[in-house]
Amino acid sequence: MGNPARMWKEPYLESCCRSALHRVSLAGAAGRPKGLKDDPCLERMQRMGFLTCSDEGRFFMTAAGRQRHAQEVLRHGLHARSET
């Protein structure tokens, strides 16, 4: 996890939120629409600054979200499952 002191200052992401963050990543430029089962996670991560929601109701990753995705999802190899 890198620097342990820094880790304790970062908000914890439940596994459902990490999965939702990865789905936003997979949505790419189209964004992930509102109204799906992972809305509570998406809205939580929006409040945390990892996502933004467009006027059209689609979620996109912020720079902080891309960093967190790389740190927590890609680091653990979860992206390999979606590629097979």
Side-chain angles (χ1 to χ4, degrees):
M1 292 289 309
N3 181 349
R6 187 174 148 240
M7 176 182 70
W8 291 109
K9 294 179 183 172
E10 294 177 355
Y12 176 73
L13 288 182
E14 299 284 344
S15 60
C16 57
C17 291
R18 288 191 299 273
S19 295
L21 186 62
H22 188 57
R23 288 190 290 274
V24 172
S25 169
L26 295 174
R32 182 135 175 99
K34 278 187 173 186
L36 302 173
K37 289 185 178 185
D38 58 1
D39 270 4
C41 290
L42 298 172
E43 291 167 359
R44 177 176 183 248
M45 288 187 293
Q46 182 182 15
R47 290 189 301 271
M48 296 168 120
F50 298 143
L51 301 177
T52 186
C53 189
S54 71
D55 292 338
E56 294 80 30
R58 299 188 82 79
F59 289 95
F60 298 91
M61 271 200 264
T62 63
R66 284 188 295 278
Q67 180 180 8
R68 193 63 180 259
H69 180 259
Q71 174 187 335
E72 289 204 26
V73 178
L74 299 181
R75 180 171 185 256
H76 295 289
L78 297 179
H79 69 293
R81 291 183 201 153
S82 65
E83 293 174 358
T84 58

